Amino acid sequence: MKGFLSFLILWLVHKRNMTGAEIALELEKRKGRRPSPGTIYPVLKHLKGAGLLSIDESKCYSLTKRGRKELEAHLNTFFQTFCDIDEMRSCRKV
Amino acid sequence: MKGFLSFLILWLVHKRNMTGAEIALELEKRKGRRPSPGTIYPVLKHLKGAGLLSIDESKCYSLTKRGRKELEAHLNTFFQTFCDIDEMRSCRKV
DNA sequence: CTTTAAATATCGATTATCCGATACAATTAC
DNA sequence: GTAATTGTATCGGATAATCGATATTTAAAG
């Protein structure tokens, strides 16, 4: 299950181009806790280094073409891994 | 995103009591690759040590009461983290 | 302009996830 | 009942995810 943080970050940036701080805020909204700078910036650096994210002058990240491809692949494995996600959801609703 | 493998294993065992080998097979079905023994058994040991799983004479794992509580908590954070899962799904269907 | 505050970045340490190799145990096949 | 296979387990090493501390850069306030 390694690579899930990267996957989620790709997804967030896909929805809207964001700065590191905005990504951290969004992760806080979702996970209940703001990731520390030591979590977020190294991942962003790695993703940029891997050619999946690009960054503009105002430090705003966006997906590259490779990033979009990678996100697509991650989405496929995600839904295959959690193939019974509806069952998981209804289980929770009890 | 640490703890996702444990979460998935709790979910699988919740659906059906299983041995380590069965869990490995199910993970292969979902993720496309069978986890190596060096992945699966340490996690199982940890989960057992944390009182989330119990194991019977025939090495079949089942959830403890604490394991069920833990699974429930994980389910909640999972669906909060992936709150836009339907959007993710439809994005993939293009 | 300087001070303050916020965002970006790096560092060292810890835990989770992962592999392949090896070892040991239990089951199945002859 | 031994031999081969399968399942269980541990080990060492790698990478990802995480923190908190610190440092640096950038932006805002005064």
Side-chain angles (χ1 to χ4, degrees):
Chain A
M1 318 295 288
K2 282 163 94 166
F4 258 64
L5 177 60
S6 293
F7 163 50
L8 183 49
I9 288 177
L10 290 180
W11 171 248
L12 294 181
V13 172
H14 151 81
K15 292 185 76 170
R16 179 170 73 80
N17 294 350
M18 286 191 215
T19 65
E22 289 172 328
I23 292 169
L25 278 175
E26 183 62 32
L27 287 175
E28 180 178 23
K29 216 191 294 181
R30 288 167 181 250
K31 302 207 300 163
R33 178 162 191 172
R34 175 120 40 121
S36 105
T39 299
I40 205 76
Y41 290 106
V43 180
L44 256 13
K45 184 183 185 180
H46 169 254
L47 257 18
K48 192 181 62 180
L52 305 178
L53 290 182
S54 62
I55 182 172
D56 69 10
E57 331 75 47
S58 59
K59 308 275 179 173
C60 197
Y61 288 90
S62 56
L63 286 190
T64 62
K65 182 177 284 189
R66 279 191 61 192
R68 280 191 294 277
K69 276 263 175 234
E70 186 74 8
L71 173 59
E72 225 174 290
H74 269 295
L75 280 169
N76 283 325
T77 56
F78 179 82
F79 282 105
Q80 182 134 13
T81 299
F82 296 103
C83 53
D84 46 6
I85 206 160
D86 295 317
E87 191 181 341
M88 288 170 67
R89 192 190 263 143
S90 55
C91 174
R92 189 175 65 105
K93 280 204 189 121
V94 176
Chain B
M1 319 299 287
K2 282 164 93 167
F4 259 65
L5 177 60
S6 294
F7 163 51
L8 184 50
I9 289 178
L10 291 178
W11 171 249
L12 294 180
V13 171
H14 150 80
K15 292 186 76 170
R16 180 170 71 81
N17 294 350
M18 288 192 213
T19 65
E22 290 172 326
I23 292 170
L25 277 176
E26 182 61 32
L27 287 175
E28 180 178 23
K29 216 190 294 181
R30 287 167 181 253
K31 302 208 301 163
R33 176 161 192 174
R34 176 121 39 121
S36 105
T39 299
I40 205 78
Y41 290 105
V43 179
L44 257 12
K45 185 182 185 180
H46 170 253
L47 258 17
K48 192 180 62 182
L52 305 179
L53 290 182
S54 62
I55 180 171
D56 69 10
E57 331 76 46
S58 60
K59 308 275 179 176
C60 198
Y61 288 90
S62 56
L63 286 190
T64 62
K65 182 177 283 188
R66 278 191 62 193
R68 279 190 294 277
K69 276 261 175 237
E70 185 73 9
L71 173 59
E72 224 174 290
H74 268 296
L75 280 169
N76 284 324
T77 55
F78 179 82
F79 282 105
Q80 182 134 12
T81 299
F82 296 103
C83 54
D84 46 7
I85 207 162
D86 295 316
E87 192 181 342
M88 286 170 69
R89 193 189 263 143
S90 55
C91 174
R92 189 175 63 105
K93 279 202 188 123
V94 175

